[in-house]
Amino acid sequence: MEPQLKLLKINKNEYLAQQKSKLEDALDMGLTKNEYDLICKKIDKTPNMTELGVFSAMFSEHCSYKSSKKWLKTLPTEASHVIQGPGENAGVIDIGQNLAAVFKIESHNHPSFIEPYQGSATGVGGILRDVFTMGARPIALMNALRFGPPDQPLTKHLVSGVVKGIGGYGNCIGIPTVGGETNFDKSYDGNILVNAMAVGLAKKDRIFYSAATGAGNPVIYVGAKTGRDGIHGATMASTEFTENSAEKRPTVQVGDPFTGKLLLEACLELMNTDAVLSIQDMGAAGLTSSSVEMASKGSLGMNLNLDLVPTREDKMTSYEIMLSESQERMLMILKPGSEEKAKSIFDKWDLDFAIIGEVTNTGRLILTKDGFEACNLPLEPLVEDAPEYNKPYEIKTDKKVLKPSDLKINLTIIDILKTIFKNPNISSKKWIWEQYDSSVMGDTIFTNGESDASIVKIHGTEKKESYGKGLAITTDCTPRYVKSDPIIGGMQAVCEAARNIASSGAKPLAITNNLNFGNPDKKNVMGEIVGSIKGISEAASFLGTPIVSGNVSLYNETNGKSILPTPVIGMVGAIDEVENSLAISAKLDNVLLVLGQSVNFETGWIGCSIYQEVINKKYDGAPPPINLENEKKVIEILLKLNEKKLLTAAHDISDGGLLTTVCEMLFKYNLGLNINLPSNLINCNSYDPLLQSWCFGEDQARIIIATKDIKKVKLILKENNVDFFVLGQTNSSSNLNLKDIATISINEIKKINEKTIPSMMGD
Amino acid sequence: MRSGVVIFPGSNCDRDMIVALRQITGKTPIKIWHKENDFPNLDLIVVPGGFTFGDYLRCGALAARSPVISSIKNHISRGGTVLGVCNGFQILIEAKILPGSLIRNKKLLFTCRETTLEVQNCMKNPFLSGFKIGECLKIPVAHNEGNYFAPKELLKQLKEEGRIALKYSKQNNSEKNYNPNGSSDDIAGILSTNGRVLGMMPHPERAINYLHGGTDGLKLLTNCVKQIIG
């Protein structure tokens, strides 16, 4: 064979890539027999290895959403402020003044477990490209992280690597990482979650899309060279982990934030001209998904000469080039005649720029390599015939309502509070955040340690009388609620996100979601997916915050054990005058009051609460119910009060309940407070279950606000028929007193709060 | 007041510095691309922060070999003023415009947080003259390699020549980690022999608005502009 190949000028591996595939090859690539048979039938031939590789990538769960598509279609995606919903690189919403916010969240779970630094770094790089592909300059990064328990051997290594990787990319490219969440649970021990979100800003009339246009137009490859890294990453992300997963290390991509920065600047510079007709980043499944999606969205075809693709390594085959997930690459269709102008921009930024093919009207993807046709496939089956499964599901819910009297309590309120702040899920994540550059770009007003949502000022909207508009961003999910009741859990994630946005003073606008689940072939996991999508849909419709982009990550299991269902909600809101945004820290002589809690409220909801975990060492029972009317009411009244400039701080009540929230509001200025109690609780002792449930229950639709003008606030609340409960006025004593029942030293709790994560990380 | 901000591939605080200087002077500073060595005479050149060339080699080492550096040196030899912030400070050191070195933070972690700086009893210079000795400024840092290191003799020399301009302050700072990077003598910024070049790790351009949590960066930059235009 060798001499013949020499004669043909084709290298041996390329020759093999162009040979006919067998069923075993398909199974190796993660396809099923049925899928393979379908492919052969639809394309009317036996695919060669490259063609099969293209199919396997496009049919992977990661690209085709085959298990979840049926349900994703039910999400609410429309509203008058939505410019682009799901289906593009990122979602786009109108935020006024001819500006648009462009955002998306995406998971990089599997790669980050295998190689925490590179996995998380490329997660950030990938989501940034999704945003600037649309013509937006990224202005903020967020992340939602889930790890195994701190005492597990791998946790420290994973936390340290993931945090370094996120910082490594974001800090270098110069986009501030302004917030997120980090949680720990045993279910994530073998399967961590790394979800990264990016938000960008564009002119409303300068959004770029991916659909190819105009047969004959040149197809351009720009950015970094293609290497052998990340081949079949999308397929890897679509299977369960086993003990052998470490062998998959070569399928993890390597990030280069410096090239990412050059690509960002070069693309935005080029987008300022009229040269770009359409553009798509090469993310999961690299050149395969970008070329297939661009061509199919434009109902056109594409011819590419793979010999022209800039490669980092010798003798790469068509198969490798098509399936490489090398980072920092883009595919563009340019207006004919603008190639020179475009090339000069990429030359300036020292980036590769290659015309690798052209748009056709054949409806086919035709690839040549070493002078031979390496792939010739109709586009329709690649996209349209990707399977859509209606997998059996069962929504399991825990309906048991836990009563305070069910608990055997041997801890005082102070003991419980200390334990809560020792919990790494509650305690301060400062150790993590300080490793992220949160102030680059000079527009960060609050990170989410300071406010319930992170706030960034919108550059260029300053006016004489105002610092201009701001965006509020948050990510939220309470997986233990979703586990107990997927529908309520899904609703709660949306409601908490909206409450957080509102507590920062901004109006909730739209959602990007990252649905992380176990193996969808299991009925109960599929039930978690279906249930939480139902819950998310209901809450998002009610609150007018549609889903405009998102990502699904399934098969988050290790050796058959599934993660807690984790549908992360990334929400974006806007505030007209950014100086009116609110932090969580109350100031001296402010009155604190709980919105959404009536004077008659006596028994807190303890099922599935952090408090229950402290007492019972487990979570069970039904999660706190959701009342969407009430959620909307507290959000609307808070925004109304803030518009009248009556508020000095706000903090929503979530994990750890009322007392935990109050403590967090007093930390910054070391303040004290004598808390009012409902009349029937005044004579309780510190062990009283009813009083403890009042302190730590996790009933929803409540926000604590701080004001200097309690009279006006009360008046407005009464006029609007909103329940409220006045907690008291802050003082300089730095003691939190519950009548004669307990005196809590804010300083002491604060120290515990700040110590947990550093001591866990050995700092 | 004519100012310019140098931009290398990987600079990422250039826009922030331009915003700050425009806010103070009312004029937009010119952007100087790293390949340029022909630009008009300027009153102030700022080398901003970032990760020039990815900092894949030693921080600032590649940028220090760019064509623009010789022009900056000419500007300095004409008595011109230069401010290097963060990666800009690292570049000035790699270009041997300032002495010493900036090594990995003591804890080997990137650190982004507010620091309190104390104005030192130093030689006359256009950056801090006008401030009281011991005056404190709250300005954030964000870096991986900000740990200023110099041999004892050099530290002694810098001190004697009044070239230590800013130190991380113990004053008004309850945190035991008041020095974010473990730098020798808590040094945050140093001056050139003629006092016309300041390299500092903290970012004054990130504290120019009360919404940033403080305006001490604005105070420093405004003072600098005033001193230069006299």
Side-chain angles (χ1 to χ4, degrees):
Chain A
M1 189 165 73
E2 294 279 331
Q4 274 172 328
L5 292 181
K6 231 174 226 166
L7 208 64
L8 292 172
K9 290 188 178 162
I10 187 169
N11 89 60
K12 186 179 159 191
N13 290 333
E14 179 57 36
Y15 175 80
L16 295 174
Q18 295 183 13
Q19 295 309 297
K20 293 234 175 299
S21 63
K22 299 190 193 70
L23 173 63
E24 298 86 84
D25 301 319
L27 298 177
D28 267 358
M29 292 184 202
L31 292 163
T32 64
K33 180 175 185 303
N34 282 345
E35 287 168 354
Y36 185 65
D37 292 343
L38 175 85
I39 292 166
C40 295
K41 196 180 132 208
K42 286 285 177 179
I43 65 173
D44 207 17
K45 66 178 176 184
T46 304
N48 69 26
M49 291 300 282
T50 297
E51 290 168 333
L52 186 64
V54 168
F55 261 104
S56 82
M58 292 308 295
F59 278 21
S60 71
E61 189 67 54
H62 198 87
C63 292
S64 74
Y65 297 107
K66 54 191 170 190
S67 304
S68 55
K69 198 157 49 178
K70 174 182 158 71
W71 299 101
L72 293 175
K73 286 178 190 163
T74 65
L75 288 166
T77 58
E78 284 170 13
S80 57
H81 59 280
V82 173
I83 295 173
Q84 175 64 53
E88 273 290 335
N89 286 293
V92 186
I93 57 168
D94 189 340
I95 52 167
Q97 293 187 18
N98 197 35
L99 293 169
V102 178
F103 58 97
K104 192 183 181 192
I105 192 166
E106 198 160 79
S107 63
H108 236 210
N109 305 334
H110 291 71
S112 301
F113 181 75
I114 295 174
E115 178 57 87
Y117 185 94
Q118 293 299 346
S120 59
T122 51
V124 173
I127 198 64
L128 285 171
R129 278 196 306 285
D130 277 332
V131 163
F132 72 77
T133 305
M134 307 283 302
R137 178 172 286 280
I139 59 170
L141 283 163
M142 301 280 288
N143 54 74
L145 313 177
R146 300 284 190 295
F147 298 99
D151 57 1
Q152 287 305 300
L154 271 181
T155 302
K156 196 178 150 185
H157 153 78
L158 291 167
V159 172
S160 154
V162 165
V163 170
K164 277 206 176 91
I166 289 175
Y169 207 103
N171 300 349
C172 180
I173 198 168
I175 316 292
T177 301
V178 293
E181 45 175 2
T182 307
N183 292 99
F184 303 86
D185 182 88
K186 62 179 185 304
S187 76
Y188 305 112
D189 191 29
N191 200 128
I192 62 171
L193 301 184
V194 174
N195 296 175
M197 174 173 171
V199 183
L201 191 68
K203 290 218 172 83
K204 201 173 117 183
D205 49 4
R206 296 290 292 162
I207 307 286
F208 289 81
Y209 297 96
S210 57
T213 49
N217 286 342
V219 178
I220 317 290
Y221 170 114
V222 295
K225 291 182 185 355
T226 297
R228 289 194 170 92
D229 53 332
I231 289 176
H232 262 311
T235 317
M236 176 189 77
S238 307
T239 50
E240 281 181 39
F241 268 160
T242 62
E243 276 103 1
N244 302 327
S245 292
E247 289 170 15
K248 293 186 171 169
R249 206 172 299 251
T251 57
V252 176
Q253 313 86 327
V254 178
D256 175 359
F258 171 60
T259 304
K261 168 73 173 166
L262 304 183
L263 188 62
L264 162 70
E265 296 302 335
C267 286
L268 291 182
E269 194 172 325
L270 180 61
M271 285 163 162
N272 248 332
T273 70
D274 61 351
V276 182
L277 294 175
S278 48
I279 178 164
Q280 164 96 6
D281 102 281
M282 292 190 222
L287 190 51
T288 294
S289 66
S290 52
S291 57
V292 169
E293 281 170 22
M294 288 181 92
S296 69
K297 275 184 190 160
S299 304
L300 292 159
M302 205 176 270
N303 287 359
L304 301 178
N305 179 352
L306 299 184
D307 293 320
L308 301 175
V309 171
T311 53
R312 209 190 300 144
E313 293 166 75
D314 274 351
K315 296 185 178 166
M316 285 187 69
T317 65
S318 53
Y319 179 89
E320 290 169 325
I321 290 171
M322 289 309 284
L323 293 173
S324 161
E325 289 192 6
S326 288
Q327 299 290 293
E328 285 83 47
R329 304 177 299 159
M330 294 274 191
L331 202 61
M332 304 188 295
I333 315 288
L334 291 186
K335 203 188 225 180
S338 58
E339 295 93 327
E340 277 312 305
K341 182 169 65 182
K343 188 174 182 304
S344 69
I345 290 174
F346 283 83
D347 284 348
K348 173 185 156 190
W349 291 100
D350 295 321
L351 290 168
D352 270 300
F353 177 99
I355 303 170
I356 62 168
E358 61 172 12
V359 179
T360 65
N361 52 18
T362 59
R364 299 185 80 84
L365 178 70
I366 299 174
L367 309 173
T368 55
K369 181 80 181 63
D370 295 353
F372 287 85
E373 194 173 270
C375 165
N376 187 337
L377 291 173
L379 287 160
E380 206 185 315
L382 278 167
V383 185
E384 300 299 323
D385 293 332
E388 177 180 324
Y389 296 124
N390 181 8
K391 294 190 172 170
Y393 66 93
E394 185 187 356
I395 303 177
K396 282 191 180 167
T397 56
D398 190 341
K399 294 229 177 341
K400 186 180 62 190
V401 176
L402 250 88
K403 293 196 201 80
S405 54
D406 297 341
L407 299 174
K408 281 197 187 108
I409 295 165
N410 53 6
L411 294 172
T412 64
I413 286 178
I414 298 179
D415 295 334
I416 293 165
L417 206 53
K418 285 181 184 169
T419 315
I420 286 179
F421 280 103
K422 258 183 218 152
N423 183 331
N425 288 319
I426 304 286
S427 64
S428 164
K429 307 297 186 300
K430 197 170 132 193
W431 185 90
I432 293 173
W433 295 335
E434 281 190 353
Q435 295 185 53
Y436 304 144
D437 190 337
S438 54
S439 51
V440 64
M441 294 187 94
D443 291 326
T444 306
I445 309 302
F446 292 127
T447 62
N448 78 335
E450 300 165 312
S451 167
D452 271 354
S454 309
I455 302 272
V456 287
K457 187 159 66 73
I458 298 177
H459 196 81
T461 59
E462 298 85 356
K463 287 178 191 159
K464 252 191 191 151
E465 66 282 10
S466 160
Y467 286 98
K469 286 171 98 72
L471 284 183
I473 317 158
T474 182
T475 62
D476 291 286
C477 180
T478 314
R480 60 179 190 278
Y481 294 170
V482 189
K483 181 78 190 168
S484 279
D485 189 324
I487 297 179
I488 290 184
M491 287 166 73
Q492 193 274 342
V494 172
C495 293
E496 186 178 343
R499 249 183 278 139
N500 281 332
I501 296 284
S503 299
S504 75
K507 184 175 187 285
L509 289 176
I511 290 171
T512 179
N513 60 5
N514 206 139
L515 307 174
N516 307 276
F517 296 94
N519 182 346
D521 299 326
K522 294 179 182 164
K523 259 191 188 173
N524 66 316
V525 172
M526 201 57 217
E528 290 167 356
I529 299 172
V530 174
S532 55
I533 289 178
K534 281 186 175 171
I536 290 170
S537 297
E538 199 180 329
S541 304
F542 193 86
L543 297 176
T545 52
I547 287 83
V548 295
S549 60
N551 171 246
V552 180
S553 171
L554 303 179
Y555 300 96
N556 290 292
E557 312 210 332
T558 302
N559 298 328
K561 264 181 66 191
S562 162
I563 58 159
L564 282 180
T566 315
V568 173
I569 298 297
M571 192 180 279
V572 171
I575 179 166
D576 281 335
E577 293 175 335
V578 75
E579 56 272 29
N580 290 347
S581 50
L582 293 168
I584 64 168
S585 305
K587 302 207 171 84
L588 187 62
D589 296 332
N590 287 173
V591 173
L592 299 189
L593 61 160
V594 189
L595 288 183
Q597 175 167 323
S598 87
V599 188
N600 303 320
F601 174 89
E602 287 163 359
T603 314
W605 190 278
I606 56 174
C608 260
S609 67
I610 297 279
Y611 166 70
Q612 187 208 353
E613 203 255 343
V614 171
I615 301 290
N616 281 357
K617 308 280 173 259
K618 63 170 181 183
Y619 303 113
D620 65 355
I626 297 286
N627 179 324
L628 293 173
E629 295 276 359
N630 290 349
E631 296 283 357
K632 200 172 188 172
K633 213 169 176 181
V634 294
I635 288 170
E636 281 174 354
I637 197 72
L638 188 146
L639 292 177
K640 191 167 182 178
L641 293 170
N642 194 42
E643 234 167 65
K644 296 183 187 295
K645 304 194 199 301
L646 289 169
L647 303 182
T648 52
H651 192 10
D652 98 299
I653 298 181
S654 53
D655 284 347
L658 187 149
L659 208 57
T660 307
T661 309
V662 170
C663 286
E664 288 169 344
M665 296 180 79
L666 300 176
F667 283 155
K668 185 169 179 186
Y669 302 108
N670 291 316
L671 297 176
L673 180 73
N674 298 320
I675 285 197
N676 291 326
L677 291 174
S679 52
N680 72 314
L681 296 178
I682 291 176
N683 297 318
C684 291
N685 68 36
S686 193
Y687 293 93
D688 191 288
L690 203 61
L691 174 62
Q692 291 194 354
S693 80
W694 187 86
C695 291
F696 303 112
E698 294 181 4
D699 302 73
Q700 301 292 300
R702 294 183 298 163
I703 300 173
I704 304 185
I705 54 172
T707 178
K708 280 191 285 193
D709 196 340
I710 183 69
K711 269 190 192 159
K712 267 193 199 156
V713 169
K714 269 186 174 173
L715 196 71
I716 293 171
L717 293 177
K718 280 179 186 157
E719 272 172 16
N720 287 275
N721 253 331
V722 178
D723 285 338
F724 65 94
F725 181 83
V726 178
L727 292 169
Q729 188 172 21
T730 57
N731 59 52
S732 57
S733 74
S734 82
N735 281 332
L736 177 59
N737 292 316
L738 269 77
K739 300 293 175 191
D740 297 329
I741 307 164
T743 294
I744 297 150
S745 157
I746 287 297
N747 270 319
E748 194 185 347
I749 303 289
K750 184 174 158 181
K751 274 187 194 136
I752 296 171
N753 179 46
E754 285 174 1
K755 219 181 124 188
T756 306
I757 303 283
S759 43
M760 163 188 153
M761 297 307 294
D763 191 355
Chain B
M1 172 76 183
R2 293 155 304 163
S3 60
V5 174
V6 186
I7 302 173
F8 299 89
S11 295
N12 63 28
C13 303
D14 43 320
R15 187 190 81 170
D16 310 353
M17 188 56 81
I18 288 168
V19 168
L21 290 173
R22 188 167 52 213
Q23 186 177 323
I24 295 162
T25 65
K27 277 190 214 157
T28 304
I30 64 162
K31 295 179 185 176
I32 307 168
W33 184 239
H34 71 117
K35 286 181 182 166
E36 283 177 46
N37 47 19
D38 179 31
F39 49 82
N41 276 345
L42 296 167
D43 300 307
L44 171 69
I45 294 178
V46 182
V47 189
F51 283 71
T52 47
F53 297 95
D55 280 347
Y56 291 152
L57 198 58
R58 280 189 325 276
C59 300
L62 286 172
R65 276 128 188 108
S66 287
V68 76
I69 295 295
S70 60
S71 313
I72 293 178
K73 284 182 174 165
N74 289 338
H75 166 83
I76 295 169
S77 62
R78 288 194 301 264
T81 306
V82 175
L83 172 65
V85 172
C86 198
N87 193 229
F89 185 12
Q90 293 163 344
I91 293 166
L92 295 179
I93 283 190
E94 283 290 338
K96 304 223 179 330
I97 292 170
L98 292 172
S101 55
L102 287 160
I103 59 175
R104 287 289 298 279
N105 295 349
K106 199 175 165 196
K107 284 191 177 173
L108 305 180
L109 296 176
F110 187 96
T111 300
C112 173
R113 62 176 164 98
E114 190 179 83
T115 58
T116 305
L117 306 175
E118 200 177 302
V119 176
Q120 299 299 300
N121 183 7
C122 56
M123 66 193 293
K124 189 172 180 298
N125 69 80
F127 309 95
L128 300 163
S129 298
F131 285 100
K132 284 191 222 97
I133 294 162
E135 192 167 342
C136 283
L137 300 170
K138 280 188 190 288
I139 298 181
V141 293
H143 59 247
N144 218 349
E145 283 94 357
N147 181 351
Y148 185 78
F149 179 82
K152 268 188 193 150
E153 310 79 67
L154 178 57
L155 284 175
K156 196 169 157 245
Q157 188 194 340
L158 289 174
K159 205 173 167 186
E160 281 169 6
E161 292 175 1
R163 290 168 60 193
I164 299 174
L166 293 164
K167 283 188 179 187
Y168 301 108
S169 173
K170 276 182 233 183
Q171 283 186 46
N172 314 323
N173 202 329
S174 56
E175 269 209 62
K176 65 176 194 292
N177 298 325
Y178 66 91
N179 177 340
N181 51 40
S183 61
S184 311
D185 284 354
D186 299 330
I187 288 173
I190 58 165
L191 295 162
S192 59
T193 40
N194 71 353
R196 305 294 296 184
V197 182
L198 172 67
M200 63 188 287
M201 287 314 296
H203 288 272
E205 79 281 9
R206 297 190 192 179
I208 60 166
N209 181 323
Y210 87 96
L211 296 172
H212 287 146
T215 54
D216 286 353
L218 183 72
K219 214 163 135 185
L220 190 151
L221 293 170
T222 307
N223 183 62
C224 175
V225 167
K226 270 192 196 151
Q227 296 284 336
I228 291 171
I229 54 180

